[in-house]
Amino acid sequence: MRRRVITGAVVTATGLAFLTAVPGSATAEPGNAVDYTVVAADGASAAEATAAIKAAGGTIVTGNDAVGVYRVTSTDTAFSAKAVKSGTLIGASERKAIGKAPNGLEKIEKTGHSAKGSSNKGVKLDPLDDKLWGLKMVRADKARKIESGDRGVTVGILDTGLDASNPDLAPHFSSRLSRNFAPDMTDVDGACEVASCVDPIGTDDNGHGTHVAGTIGAASNGVGVSGIAPDVTLVELKGGQDSGYFFLDPVVNALTHAADSGLDVVNMSFYVDPWLYNCTANPADSAEDQAEQRAIIAAMKRALNYAHRKGVTLVGALGNNHEDLGKPRTDISSPDYGGDPYDRPIDNSSCWDLPVEGPHVIGVSSVGPSGKKSDFSNYGLEQISVAAPGGYARDFFGTPAYNTPGNRILSSYPLKVLVEEGLVDAEGNILPAGEGLVFKDCTQGGKCGYYTYLQGTSMAAPHAAGVAALIVSRYGYPDFQRGGKTMAPKLVEAQLYRTAAEQACPEPRLVSYANEGRPAEFDALCEGGENFNGFYGYGIVDAYAAVGGR
């Protein structure tokens, strides 16, 4: 997920800076209308928050009373100071983008190598499934003999969108439940494609969300690829801008919508910027920055707790900063937008990498086709839950398979984005630059889907989310209130952990990636036993065992 480490992963922008009181006149000169994000203090009612916002000179544009987050506009240049002085509000700040999703692929050889997996005799697979080593590693190919997913089980893709025109995603896509919480903003996204600036449901102008969705639930329909749970229902929760920027309020709104709509699983392959770690009171940070981070922590925890209480199983990518989250290095990259980075020693007891270190989130590390921890993947006993295939281009060092596309994760991708990246032409033909990296497969009726390789813990998390969806499909009970099936998240987690394929730490336990061209900073120490350790958690997720296979 960290753009300074690897491509193919989303970073999250909060759009949120929470300020301590600043000196100045209580009556400020009026200015142009400015958008703010406001978070209510713990225990403040919606009525109290609304009154405090009005008293400070703000007008609520949208509000999320469930978690106390509001989008506000004001012409008063002292609005932020007035808001924090109220005592009812944690703070307010100008709503601006922070952080950006990376784009493109790390340079790799185009040999066309495809990693091999387990035998799949007797299992119906799609034309490109032979390239999905991850599908076979987690034994999802065998699992579908028992359980391929239930249409009554819904999986939310909290990401940049979802291209429902892909013939692998269209069959089980729910436009009724899907929402776009992130209207286009011309300053970061360019000109709006539609007059309302709200992209239609079922589109993705970034690509990351479509890739994640395909891994979870691409249909087993004789075209393209198939997902871990090919018969579950996919729901778009667009929380990111087309450009890859994110704001906190769309993310929070997406989580509460998922909860209120009865979604069963939500995949979160993103992190909350501009701080690598959000800390409650880091001495290296200014008072304003400390307040900002405290409010980010509060808002995200509220949203995650709310979704969990409503029955949503939450799955998150562990991150791509190649560090032990329980023993964080000095943060030298924050803030990574809106200010100059500076050294921030990190106190593990009071700092969080969100959302993966938030409450009730299943943290997923990444492994390559050999089963080795991907060099970029975060790890550590404190936050890891399970491991899953996320790709590792530099796997198989010393063999012809080293640094080849097939070591990554192949999944669905929007044609529009591939054209913009110069890999496919306007007529849909794969260009020389895309050969070996992009695949095209069409239905008998001529409807074509496109697929490409990415890697990151962003790609590992959807493998685990897909297995979680299979567990709900297999063992869930009827949801008489909303329809479909439901299952308590704690029970889903327990089955996911109990059935994961245990993996012992490598020997020696201190793993160097020097041969793969990585500096000593990437060295990783695996701690723990075979049943639970810092590289693999409870093990690599196993779809077949999770649904009752042996």
Side-chain angles (χ1 to χ4, degrees):
M1 294 180 298
R2 290 290 159 194
R3 66 179 169 279
R4 65 187 175 93
V5 176
I6 202 70
T7 60
V10 165
V11 297
T12 300
T14 66
L16 192 59
F18 299 88
L19 309 179
T20 56
V22 295
S25 171
T27 303
E29 290 294 325
N32 296 325
V34 175
D35 265 359
Y36 295 88
T37 301
V38 178
V39 169
D42 289 339
S45 69
E48 290 170 336
T50 299
I53 291 169
K54 183 177 180 180
T59 300
I60 295 176
V61 179
T62 58
N64 190 325
D65 294 338
V67 292
V69 176
Y70 302 90
R71 181 183 172 191
V72 174
T73 185
S74 178
T75 57
D76 189 339
T77 57
F79 174 76
S80 293
K82 292 179 180 179
V84 76
K85 286 179 179 178
S86 71
T88 304
L89 308 173
I90 294 178
S93 79
E94 184 176 347
R95 189 173 180 267
K96 58 184 179 180
I98 321 172
K100 189 176 186 295
N103 216 348
L105 294 173
E106 180 183 2
K107 184 179 166 100
I108 48 181
E109 300 298 325
K110 302 178 186 176
T111 66
H113 168 266
S114 179
K116 300 300 181 182
S118 61
S119 171
N120 49 52
K121 291 182 179 178
V123 178
K124 179 184 176 183
L125 296 176
D126 284 347
L128 297 176
D129 282 356
D130 65 330
K131 303 180 187 302
L132 304 187
W133 57 268
L135 185 81
K136 302 171 184 67
M137 177 180 281
V138 305
R139 300 203 294 173
D141 51 346
K142 295 183 66 176
R144 70 184 60 161
K145 294 179 180 179
I146 301 173
E147 180 62 71
S148 60
D150 189 292
R151 288 297 303 276
V153 174
T154 48
V155 182
I157 316 299
L158 206 175
D159 218 293
T160 60
L162 190 158
D163 178 14
S165 70
N166 186 296
D168 263 328
L169 303 181
H172 300 156
F173 173 70
S174 174
S175 58
R176 179 180 66 86
L177 292 173
S178 295
R179 297 288 187 277
N180 179 351
F181 298 98
D184 287 349
M185 300 173 62
T186 55
D187 57 336
V188 294
D189 298 321
C192 296
E193 291 88 355
V194 295
S196 66
C197 290
V198 179
D199 290 340
I201 292 300
T203 62
D204 180 8
D205 292 331
N206 180 280
H208 188 275
T210 298
H211 199 279
V212 166
T215 295
I216 294 172
S220 179
N221 56 357
V223 62
V225 301
S226 59
I228 303 299
D231 288 324
V232 299
T233 294
L234 298 174
V235 179
E236 174 190 351
L237 303 174
K238 180 171 167 55
Q241 306 302 132
D242 295 348
S243 55
Y245 289 94
F246 277 62
F247 297 97
L248 181 61
D249 45 326
V251 172
V252 168
N253 291 340
L255 283 169
T256 53
H257 170 73
D260 293 338
S261 300
L263 300 195
D264 297 292
V265 180
V266 168
N267 186 87
M268 301 179 293
S269 290
F270 61 85
Y271 70 91
V272 176
D273 244 353
W275 308 99
L276 181 60
Y277 288 91
N278 288 281
C279 305
T280 56
N282 192 326
D285 299 330
S286 68
E288 291 182 356
D289 290 339
Q290 289 178 10
E292 170 186 358
Q293 292 166 62
R294 285 194 295 269
I296 291 170
I297 293 166
M300 285 300 298
K301 286 186 174 180
R302 288 178 194 172
L304 294 168
N305 279 321
Y306 184 80
H308 178 79
R309 288 197 305 270
K310 293 276 193 170
V312 181
T313 296
L314 301 163
V315 181
L318 205 61
N320 297 347
N321 201 43
H322 57 277
E323 70 180 320
D324 184 335
L325 289 178
K327 303 171 184 177
R329 299 188 301 269
T330 295
D331 174 16
I332 61 173
S333 65
S334 301
D336 59 7
Y337 188 92
D340 295 327
Y342 54 89
D343 289 358
R344 304 172 67 230
I346 299 300
D347 171 34
N348 185 56
S349 66
S350 60
C351 299
W352 288 267
D353 182 359
L354 295 168
V356 74
E357 291 192 304
H360 313 299
V361 179
I362 298 169
V364 188
S365 69
S366 171
V367 300
S370 72
K372 186 176 183 179
K373 185 188 82 69
S374 307
D375 58 358
F376 53 78
S377 180
N378 285 347
Y379 58 99
L381 290 169
E382 184 177 279
Q383 297 301 334
I384 194 171
S385 303
V386 290
Y392 178 24
R394 301 186 187 205
D395 210 349
F396 301 117
F397 177 78
T399 76
Y402 172 72
N403 203 28
T404 54
N407 293 341
R408 292 176 175 242
I409 302 299
L410 183 70
S411 189
S412 45
Y413 212 67
L415 171 61
K416 178 178 185 290
V417 180
L418 292 170
V419 171
E420 291 171 352
E421 292 178 351
L423 301 176
V424 177
D425 67 21
E427 286 71 45
N429 302 307
I430 297 173
L431 295 170
E435 291 178 2
L437 302 177
V438 177
F439 298 88
K440 174 182 179 180
D441 198 37
C442 305
T443 66
Q444 291 183 349
K447 184 65 176 177
C448 298
Y450 292 83
Y451 310 84
T452 195
Y453 290 106
L454 294 177
Q455 70 176 18
T457 54
S458 286
M459 283 66 248
H463 282 83
V467 177
L470 289 178
I471 291 170
V472 181
S473 299
R474 182 68 171 167
Y475 303 109
Y477 51 88
D479 186 337
F480 295 108
Q481 183 177 0
R482 297 185 178 92
K485 288 188 174 183
T486 187
M487 187 172 177
K490 286 186 177 180
L491 297 179
V492 178
E493 285 185 53
Q495 181 68 359
L496 185 72
Y497 300 162
R498 184 183 70 81
T499 60
E502 293 180 353
Q503 302 287 318
C505 284
E507 292 294 345
R509 285 175 173 253
L510 181 60
V511 176
S512 169
Y513 296 92
N515 285 337
E516 291 82 2
R518 298 302 196 188
E521 181 181 278
F522 281 75
D523 291 356
L525 176 65
C526 184
E527 298 178 297
E530 183 173 358
N531 61 338
F532 187 85
N533 59 66
F535 278 16
Y536 302 100
Y538 289 101
I540 297 174
V541 294
D542 187 333
Y544 187 52
V547 298
R550 297 290 182 180

